[in-house]
Amino acid sequence: MARLVRCLAAAATTLAALGATVAAGAGSATTFAAGADGAASARTYAAGSLPVAEPSGARPTVVPAVVPAVVPAKNTAVIVLQTLTPAVVKPGTDVRITGTVTAPSDGPLSAPELRVIRGDTPIRQSSALDDWASGRTTAQGRTVSTTRLPTVAAGRTQAFTTTVPWQRLRSPEAFAAVPIAVDVMQQGASEPTGSTRTFVAWNSRKEYVPLDVATVLPVTLDPGVSLFSRKDDTRLKAWQAAIGPTSRVSRIVEGTQGSQVDLAVDPSVLGPTPVAPGDAGSPSSPTPTPQTSGTKAPTPAAPSTPAGTAPATPTPPTSAPAPTPTPSSSTPGAPSSGAPSTSQAIAALGDALAERLHGRSVWALPYADADVAATADVDPASTIVRDLVSRAGTLTARLGQPARDDVVWPVDGLLPPGRESGIRTLLSGTSVKKPAGIVVDAAAVTKTTAYTPTARRVTGSGTRLLAYDTRLSALLPRRTDPSPVLSTQRYLAETLVLLGERAGTPRSVLVVAPRTYDPDAAALSSFLTATSSAPWLHTVPAASLLADGGGDKAQPQTAASTTAPGTAPAPVLTARRLSELAEQRETLLSVSSVLRDGEEFERTYREVLDHLTSARWRYEPRAWPVLATSVAADVRAATSAIRVVPRTSTINLLAENGTLRITVENGLDYTVENIRLRLVPDNPRIRVVEQPAPVTIGPSSRTNVPVEVAAVAAGRAQIRAFLTTVDGTVIGSPAMIPVAANPLDATIYWVGGVLVGLVVVAGVIRAVRKGTSRVDEIADIEAITAAHQSLGDANHGDDR
């Protein structure tokens, strides 16, 4: 019974130690699940306790970590290991262990004694590692080291250092994972008050073929919509948090400096930059030169809602005839007053990151880390994702060095039926043409076997596979770990068990991190230094696994005995969403083709559309519709800004031929060039004599375009007026022009002329028929007139 109580107490204190709440200065609170086996409960600690290593030469010097202040458990002591050196024990080298002990909150540790117990459980299988680390195996064994500590007040922390002679850790085996427990005992107690468990790697002689170990870490953006905010301050802060000196990306790059680790880099992580047409198989692609011209840099429109919050309802576009760009407009084409300096600041962040990546072993992911897995499953012919795959090659130009872009890394690590074919179809329409290899979870392509197969694998159709080990990959140190000791020692123990399965057989191992991997730079550097120095591990470039080498030949893919869970959440991309993104992108391409600054316009909108294909939205699925809805609304608003102004009144056409004046408006901050206005009547009463010539419209202005039409018959008609590019692609917003035709045709003129002629003829005939006029019958009209005047004069005289 005493032994059972002791085991339960040891297990409880182990969990308390692994799940301790570590505070380091004023860092922000972060949740972590401690322990390499993942069995510990989650606690909260202030991140940032380990200082960042400064790169210097071949390998950075890791600054010793500050002793963290540990939040105490209620009734158990919490033990946190700081260092265990050397990581690999060999004859003649003692082991030095440092760490802290924190007394329970409900009482002090009175004159405690720290004991290091060597477990007597042999470790030959991974299950034995799990049992020891989780506390399921009793901590039976012998004490190999004791250290007396001063009394520790309740809730206070005491640092310790203890040394274990190598003779007490030696094993008769050439190599072995030796289980140890670090216990703290109250004075006079028979059971430990606190305990933590780990392993010591023993290697006395080389009786094995070293394992080829390759490590690949992704360098990608976080799923935040603030990166595309229309607010300059918000957008700049988001990019600083994403790729700045204190970012997750920076910690990965810094922590791997000087180590043989491949970095799978998303080219867009270097920030949105100006593009040059025709690069990498796309109309435009990033170039390393930041924008410094006087042209206003448009700000991509997107909500500033941070990732992780509930989706906001985007502001719908106004019903005004056309948007009028202003510095505060939500239209992407309208930059804010600080946009040029903001763009330059973001470009500077990207340039600094590119400089740090220069000289490193780099793979190129598809631009924006497009979700190849989802696309290959639902729409392998997607034009937008094909273009992003082709644009992976732009990383080579940006870094000024080769970056391999033909290795496909599905974010979920799965290879279900049909995916390989889908990936081949997808890449066939790109500059990559075909995959050199596919990174997959080993569990997805392996049936249960007595030993772990090599990472070098091949499908039935001949595609090379790089199968990664999920157990080892899960042991990469994270920022939320209290120290890298537990993960480092567990990793070494796991590789020793793996080696022991077939010590004389050449094999390879691939270790990868998820897209959200967030390490502490110093802890990662320390981990890589310790693991790479293990003599049974031969660090190799990941690309070397694409070919057989050193007697290690690729093994055929086999059907998995159980369904692999996948290493990422479900996709957000569907066939419908991909189709909508492609349609919006085609619209942008059409509009940009008629703009004088079309490249800038296209880049403004297309950057956000490209990022909507990213695999990173799997980790924040609620953010995707927030960004997509906002972008869709802004694209509609921008494209409708080039429009035919509709008429509210009917145009009366009173002649057989006439000229209609159609108003075309450009509401963008860009000059529209060579745009075609086309008119199509809805019935044959109206005929367009000749379509108008191409027109040019300045920014935020309008023009009247004359169009010659003919009225064939009287009646009403609707003329559909729309705009096209040179190749006939319809763009902008059309309008219906109502016309009332009342033509006075030639028949009316002929009838009128005949009637006038008939009147003249009738008058002549009448004159001929009636003969001489009565006036002509008077013989001497002058004499009669004179007589009449004389008579009048006489009458006047009588009056007198």
Side-chain angles (χ1 to χ4, degrees):
M1 178 62 71
R3 179 178 295 177
L4 177 61
V5 171
R6 178 180 170 186
C7 295
L8 292 175
T13 52
T14 298
L15 294 179
L18 295 178
T21 305
V22 182
S28 58
T30 308
T31 301
F32 79 100
D37 58 0
S41 60
R43 301 263 181 136
T44 302
Y45 88 110
S49 59
L50 297 177
V52 177
E54 294 294 334
S56 60
R59 181 176 295 279
T61 301
V62 181
V63 181
V66 177
V67 177
V70 183
V71 176
K74 182 177 181 181
N75 52 17
T76 58
V78 177
I79 301 174
V80 176
L81 302 183
Q82 294 287 312
T83 63
L84 192 157
T85 54
V88 179
V89 183
K90 59 184 179 181
T93 306
D94 295 339
V95 175
R96 183 173 181 269
I97 302 175
T98 66
T100 61
V101 175
T102 301
S105 60
D106 60 357
L109 289 174
S110 302
E113 183 180 70
L114 192 79
R115 299 179 181 177
V116 179
I117 311 297
R118 172 178 174 163
D120 56 10
T121 302
I123 303 294
R124 293 188 176 89
Q125 295 179 334
S126 294
S127 58
L129 292 169
D130 294 339
D131 292 341
W132 177 261
S134 64
R136 291 191 294 269
T137 301
T138 58
Q140 293 180 342
R142 66 181 185 273
T143 301
V144 295
S145 175
T146 59
T147 301
R148 180 65 64 180
L149 301 177
T151 296
V152 184
R156 303 302 295 271
T157 297
Q158 174 65 45
F160 70 84
T161 299
T162 187
T163 301
V164 182
W166 68 269
Q167 297 90 340
R168 298 181 180 181
L169 297 173
R170 69 184 301 171
S171 169
E173 306 289 339
F175 56 89
V178 179
I180 64 171
V182 180
D183 297 346
V184 61
M185 306 287 294
Q186 284 270 29
Q187 186 177 32
S190 60
E191 300 295 333
T193 304
S195 178
T196 188
R197 296 186 177 192
T198 185
F199 304 90
V200 170
W202 167 263
N203 182 213
S204 60
R205 57 191 181 273
K206 184 177 180 180
E207 295 182 358
Y208 49 75
V209 176
L211 297 169
D212 286 345
V213 180
T215 304
V216 183
L217 302 184
V219 178
T220 59
L221 294 171
D222 294 323
V225 297
S226 297
L227 294 172
F228 313 101
S229 174
R230 62 176 59 96
K231 298 179 179 178
D232 291 331
D233 291 343
T234 301
R235 190 171 70 261
L236 179 56
K237 289 179 180 178
W239 278 101
Q240 288 172 336
I243 63 174
T246 61
S247 66
R248 180 181 66 85
V249 165
S250 181
R251 289 192 291 273
I252 293 174
V253 175
E254 185 171 355
T256 56
Q257 181 70 35
S259 300
Q260 191 165 338
V261 173
D262 294 279
L263 300 178
V265 180
D266 166 15
S268 71
V269 81
L270 301 178
T273 53
V275 296
D279 288 345
S282 65
S284 57
S285 53
T287 63
T289 306
Q291 178 167 327
T292 56
S293 65
T295 305
K296 291 188 291 183
T299 302
S304 56
T305 306
T309 60
T313 303
T315 304
T318 61
S319 57
T324 302
T326 64
S328 60
S329 172
S330 63
T331 304
S336 58
S337 58
S341 60
T342 299
S343 298
Q344 292 174 1
I346 295 173
L349 291 172
D351 290 342
L353 179 58
E355 184 177 354
R356 296 172 65 190
L357 289 172
H358 183 75
R360 305 291 299 274
S361 178
V362 173
W363 288 1
L365 295 171
Y367 190 84
D369 191 19
D371 198 335
V372 173
T375 306
D377 291 345
V378 300
D379 186 11
S382 170
T383 56
I384 187 171
V385 176
R386 281 181 169 178
D387 177 65
L388 296 176
V389 170
S390 294
R391 291 174 63 191
T394 61
L395 187 63
T396 294
R398 188 72 193 270
L399 299 182
Q401 68 178 47
R404 187 153 196 165
D405 60 357
D406 57 355
V407 180
V408 180
W409 186 356
V411 66
D412 57 7
L414 301 179
L415 198 66
R419 177 171 291 184
E420 180 195 357
S421 175
I423 290 175
R424 285 180 171 273
T425 300
L426 178 65
L427 266 61
S428 66
T430 71
S431 61
V432 177
K433 300 304 180 184
K434 63 180 180 179
I438 303 175
V439 179
V440 297
D441 183 349
V445 293
T446 308
K447 67 179 181 180
T448 302
T449 59
Y451 71 99
T452 305
T454 180
R456 292 179 167 99
R457 310 296 291 277
V458 63
T459 66
S461 60
T463 301
R464 296 291 296 227
L465 300 177
L466 284 70
Y468 59 83
D469 190 298
T470 53
R471 289 180 66 90
L472 291 178
S473 297
L475 295 173
L476 288 168
R478 298 173 183 271
R479 191 184 183 197
T480 49
D481 296 338
S483 80
V485 171
L486 295 180
S487 56
T488 299
Q489 298 306 125
R490 178 64 182 272
Y491 182 95
L492 293 173
E494 289 277 1
T495 57
L496 284 171
V497 170
L498 180 62
L499 179 70
E501 293 175 351
R502 286 192 173 184
T505 302
R507 282 181 295 165
S508 53
V509 180
L510 177 62
V511 177
V512 302
R515 298 299 204 272
T516 54
Y517 181 55
D518 187 6
D520 176 86
L524 178 58
S525 178
S526 175
F527 173 90
L528 294 173
T529 300
T531 56
S532 63
S533 64
W536 62 90
L537 300 179
H538 177 220
T539 306
V540 298
S544 67
L545 303 182
L546 294 171
D548 298 341
D552 182 20
K553 296 183 178 181
Q555 296 183 11
Q557 169 192 356
T558 56
S561 302
T562 59
T563 303
T567 55
V572 297
L573 283 185
T574 62
R576 179 181 60 82
R577 285 178 170 179
L578 280 170
S579 177
E580 290 174 351
L581 292 177
E583 290 175 359
Q584 291 175 348
R585 189 164 178 241
E586 288 300 318
T587 300
L588 295 180
L589 291 173
S590 298
V591 174
S592 64
S593 68
V594 299
L595 300 180
R596 180 171 296 172
D597 299 318
E599 292 179 10
E600 180 185 355
F601 173 86
E602 180 199 352
R603 180 173 65 253
T604 300
Y605 291 94
R606 199 179 80 168
E607 184 75 15
V608 187
L609 287 177
D610 290 345
H611 281 272
L612 283 171
T613 68
S614 179
R616 67 179 176 272
W617 303 112
R618 289 179 181 240
Y619 300 95
E620 192 61 51
R622 295 183 303 171
W624 194 94
V626 174
L627 183 59
T629 302
S630 177
V631 171
D634 286 335
V635 168
R636 288 193 300 269
T639 54
S640 63
I642 305 174
R643 66 183 189 127
V644 179
V645 178
R647 290 184 62 92
T648 57
S649 59
T650 301
I651 298 176
N652 291 314
L653 187 60
L654 301 179
E656 181 179 2
N657 293 283
T659 300
L660 302 182
R661 295 193 174 276
I662 309 300
T663 302
V664 179
E665 185 176 58
N666 172 24
L668 298 176
D669 274 354
Y670 305 86
T671 297
V672 174
E673 293 183 322
N674 296 326
I675 193 170
R676 269 71 168 169
L677 173 65
R678 293 294 177 260
L679 276 69
V680 179
D682 65 348
N683 63 61
R685 292 189 182 95
I686 300 294
R687 179 175 60 85
V688 177
V689 176
E690 184 179 4
Q691 296 288 357
V695 296
T696 296
I697 313 172
S700 302
S701 60
R702 59 174 60 186
T703 187
N704 290 325
V705 181
V707 183
E708 296 295 327
V709 298
V712 178
R716 292 183 175 273
Q718 294 280 341
I719 300 179
R720 181 174 179 269
F722 57 93
L723 303 169
T724 73
T725 62
V726 176
D727 61 3
T729 303
V730 177
I731 62 171
S733 299
M736 298 302 293
I737 309 298
V739 177
N742 298 289
L744 299 177
D745 58 19
T747 304
I748 296 176
Y749 294 108
W750 278 106
V751 171
V754 171
L755 291 176
V756 172
L758 290 174
V759 170
V760 173
V761 172
V764 173
I765 295 174
R766 180 173 179 273
V768 171
R769 291 182 59 185
K770 291 185 176 295
T772 304
S773 172
R774 292 181 179 178
V775 176
D776 296 335
E777 294 177 352
I778 299 175
D780 190 357
I781 190 166
E782 292 83 357
I784 294 175
T785 300
H788 180 71
Q789 291 178 348
S790 300
L791 181 59
D793 294 338
N795 289 335
H796 285 295
D798 292 340
D799 292 336
R800 289 192 298 267

